Amino acid sequence: MMLSATNAPCFAGQCLTNRKLHQRTATQKLRLAPCAAIQLDDLPYSLDALEPHMSKSTFEVHWGKHHRTYVNNLNNQIQGKDLESKSLEEIVKATWNGGSPSPEFNNAAQSWNHKFFWHSMKPGGGGEPSGELKSAIEKDFGSIEDFKKEFSTAGATQFGSGWAWLVKDGDKLKVIKTPNAETPLASGAGVPLLTMDVWEHAYYLDVQNRRPDYIKTFLGELVNWDAVAERFASA
């Protein structure tokens, strides 16, 4: 009777040798496997760091699944193309294509928008900005409260999915909103300083469909004004 490789008897030392050979081959393949062009960065805080305002469950789905999927899809789309050698920011700008986005744009822009969004929040955030940023907001909006009202309105009135932004356009600060994956990074609507994700997956596990409650919590408890001030200073 002939024995296949899978059910052949093991003679002295043969199984160990075969096992080592398989392990060595697997290790070699792992070393030769190319790194993905775009990586999913770690969050700047732990999954539960923003609780009770934004739950660990939300981050497990929003960052762990949605953001990861955008990154994975983008890597599949750019594999073997010139885009593969570009940074994420360069890919976003290149695929915007003057307002006629190429197929890679949505996953690229969503990957960038989400990374920017995570860094727009911090544990113990919210409150008000200070220093030059505060003065600029008061000059262009009238007061911090007036800015918050305009920013909240932008987020609440963005139909369907999208983003609310604070941008610097020349010497002036503005609030804008963008649908779906669109981003001022690509459109040239201004230098992004702050963003708030208003896709439902950003808040549904925490407040269901109550987007205004999410917006209030974002501004009152989560905004990382230190990060916004750094972006403002370098804009």
Side-chain angles (χ1 to χ4, degrees), residues 47-194:
L47 289 169
D48 61 354
L50 301 189
E51 290 187 334
H53 311 297
M54 189 172 286
S55 67
K56 179 180 179 181
S57 297
T58 286
F59 276 107
E60 287 173 337
V61 173
H62 196 179
W63 171 78
K65 294 185 178 180
H66 288 281
H67 192 179
R68 187 182 304 277
T69 297
Y70 296 133
V71 171
N72 290 342
N73 287 345
L74 176 61
N75 280 315
N76 289 333
Q77 287 178 311
I78 65 175
Q79 188 173 9
K81 300 178 181 178
D82 290 342
L83 292 171
E84 195 172 17
S85 64
K86 296 182 181 296
S87 68
L88 178 57
E89 183 171 323
E90 289 171 335
I91 295 171
V92 173
K93 292 178 178 179
T95 58
W96 172 243
N97 195 31
S100 300
S102 60
E104 302 88 354
F105 175 77
N106 283 336
N107 284 307
Q110 283 294 80
S111 296
W112 189 91
N113 288 350
H114 278 86
K115 181 177 179 179
F116 193 82
F117 175 58
W118 307 138
H119 287 269
S120 292
M121 301 183 289
K122 71 173 185 177
E128 294 189 358
S130 59
E132 293 184 3
L133 175 61
K134 180 179 181 180
S135 298
I137 290 176
E138 290 174 339
K139 177 176 73 70
D140 290 331
F141 294 97
S143 69
I144 301 299
E145 282 306 309
D146 287 338
F147 156 73
K148 289 184 176 182
K149 288 177 183 177
E150 187 169 339
F151 191 84
S152 297
T153 298
T157 60
Q158 171 54 45
F159 182 76
S161 301
W163 302 81
W165 304 84
L166 172 66
V167 301
K168 185 180 181 185
D169 185 15
D171 293 329
K172 186 175 177 62
L173 298 182
K174 300 191 309 184
V175 167
I176 64 171
K177 57 184 178 180
T178 59
N180 302 316
E182 288 189 22
T183 171
L185 175 70
S187 67
V191 179
L193 303 180
L194 172 67

